[in-house]
Amino acid sequence: MKRIQLFEFEDFSWFPSSVRTGMTNLIAVLHRMMGISEVLSHLLAGILKENNLNQIVDLGSGSGGCMPDVLGQLHQTDGLQDVRLLMTDLYPNKKIIKKFSAQGNPKISYYTDPVNATDLSQVPAGLKTLVNSFHHMPPKAARQILKTAKDNNEPILIYEMAENKMPLLLWWLLLPISLAILVMMVFFMTPFVKNLTFKQVLFTYLIPVIPICYAWDGQASLPRMYAMKDLDVLLKGLHSDTYSWSKGPALKANGKPLGTYLLGMPKD
Ligand SMILES: C[S@@+](CC[C@H](N)C(=O)[O-])C[C@H]1O[C@@H](n2cnc3c(N)ncnc32)[C@H](O)[C@@H]1O
């Protein structure tokens, strides 16, 4: 496989929740800057309609990423006004959950208990989505997720905002400069975080733990992503007459690629 198993700070259970959330808040800003909600709402609208589904269960939601915006866009689509979004995470953050419940929108909720994406038995039925979180799963766990979706005959959409195409040696050579760029980006992106907290400001500008960890995790994410050929390896033996898999670049409305997707769908 091209993918390698580097560590990310976010994956450590001891990692402070406020720093983890500071980092996922920044990913949400990046989503908005890149227009990822547009790509996902376009993909999801078709899947929801074809499968006659009205619930999205997002796994590894972090601070929500672009999913709340995606839901808003789906609600503007004919026939999808009743779609609900349930967000989940292995490390759910109480403040994020409170933020969403305070909005009083009955169509959007965040599960309070930890949900491991590798154990879908805990999760209600619906279209499963993993947005920028599939690379956190080592191959055995990743395959388990795909197998469960297929065995349960449930649709699943996996999206990553980049593609693991860069030669690994080049990635290592560029690492010092890429880390420096990401640290700088955090300083500029932080004011755009929704519901910015004192802790996030403190751990960004005075004690720069968030920029350093965000820069490392952001860079480590790339070689951890499953390349297109790696997905073929994961999917070996998971093809059947009743369930289909498709993958490729995800497209913006103007036809430009933005990230990659893997979609598993029941054929009926
Ligand atoms: C890079 S963040 C992406 C967050 C969000 N989906 C987004 O796009 O902004 C990855 C998230 O996956 C979660 N995660 C990692 N391993 C997980 C697992 N086994 N089950 C569920 N969530 C997991 C992390 O806690 C983190 O919130």
Side-chain angles (χ1 to χ4, degrees), residues 195-259:
N195 304 103
L196 188 61
T197 60
F198 171 72
K199 266 194 189 164
Q200 178 138 15
V201 173
L202 176 72
F203 289 118
T204 297
Y205 296 107
L206 287 179
I207 311 164
V209 184
I210 293 178
I212 291 167
C213 296
Y214 176 88
W216 171 257
D217 279 15
Q219 278 310 300
S221 294
L222 195 65
R224 291 181 94 199
M225 279 174 199
Y226 291 92
M228 286 291 144
K229 282 189 177 164
D230 297 344
L231 293 176
D232 291 335
V233 177
L234 291 180
L235 290 172
K236 242 179 216 160
L238 297 186
H239 296 273
S240 81
D241 292 343
T242 53
Y243 199 86
S244 71
W245 296 100
S246 56
K247 60 183 166 51
L251 302 178
K252 287 183 95 168
N254 60 11
K256 283 196 178 164
L258 180 56

Side-chain angles (χ1 to χ4, degrees), residues 126-147:
L127 164 60
K128 306 293 178 304
T129 53
L130 284 99
V131 180
N132 298 319
S133 51
F134 195 59
H135 65 268
H136 286 265
M137 317 297 154
K140 216 173 148 193
R143 186 179 155 82
Q144 183 58 41
I145 292 172
L146 303 179
K147 186 174 182 309

Side-chain angles (χ1 to χ4, degrees), residues 94-138:
K94 280 191 188 126
K95 280 196 183 138
I96 296 288
I97 295 170
K98 225 173 163 183
K99 179 188 115 181
F100 285 112
S101 56
Q103 287 175 1
N105 181 349
K107 291 183 182 151
I108 190 162
S109 55
Y110 205 124
Y111 208 62
T112 45
D113 294 333
V115 171
N116 193 331
T118 57
D119 181 10
L120 296 183
S121 61
Q122 312 166 48
V123 182
L127 164 60
K128 306 293 178 304
T129 53
L130 284 99
V131 180
N132 298 319
S133 51
F134 195 59
H135 65 268
H136 286 265
M137 317 297 154

Side-chain angles (χ1 to χ4, degrees), residues 26 29 32 185-194 196 205:
L26 288 163
V29 174
R32 289 204 301 276
M185 269 177 70
V186 173
F187 293 139
F188 289 107
M189 281 157 63
T190 300
F192 298 98
V193 166
K194 279 187 184 165
L196 188 61
Y205 296 107

Side-chain angles (χ1 to χ4, degrees), residues 8 10-11 20 24 27-28 31 58-66 88-91 115-118 131-133 135-137:
E8 279 187 56
E10 256 182 27
D11 285 338
R20 186 199 309 281
T24 51
I27 303 174
H31 279 269
D58 187 49
L59 305 160
S61 302
S63 299
C66 62
T88 69
D89 202 280
L90 186 57
Y91 306 110
V115 171
N116 193 331
T118 57
V131 180
N132 298 319
S133 51
H135 65 268
H136 286 265
M137 317 297 154

Side-chain angles (χ1 to χ4, degrees), residues 16-78:
S17 172
S18 52
V19 181
R20 186 199 309 281
T21 301
M23 289 157 66
T24 51
N25 283 347
L26 288 163
I27 303 174
V29 174
L30 194 63
H31 279 269
R32 289 204 301 276
M33 283 165 54
M34 293 172 74
I36 289 175
S37 57
E38 206 190 286
V39 177
L40 279 172
S41 53
H42 178 69
L43 270 168
L44 286 169
I47 308 167
L48 291 163
K49 280 185 178 175
E50 275 180 47
N51 291 276
N52 206 13
L53 288 170
N54 65 359
Q55 168 133 292
I56 301 170
V57 180
D58 187 49
L59 305 160
S61 302
S63 299
C66 62
M67 290 311 280
D69 291 344
V70 168
L71 188 72
Q73 287 165 22
L74 289 173
H75 284 165
Q76 285 163 21
T77 310
D78 254 1

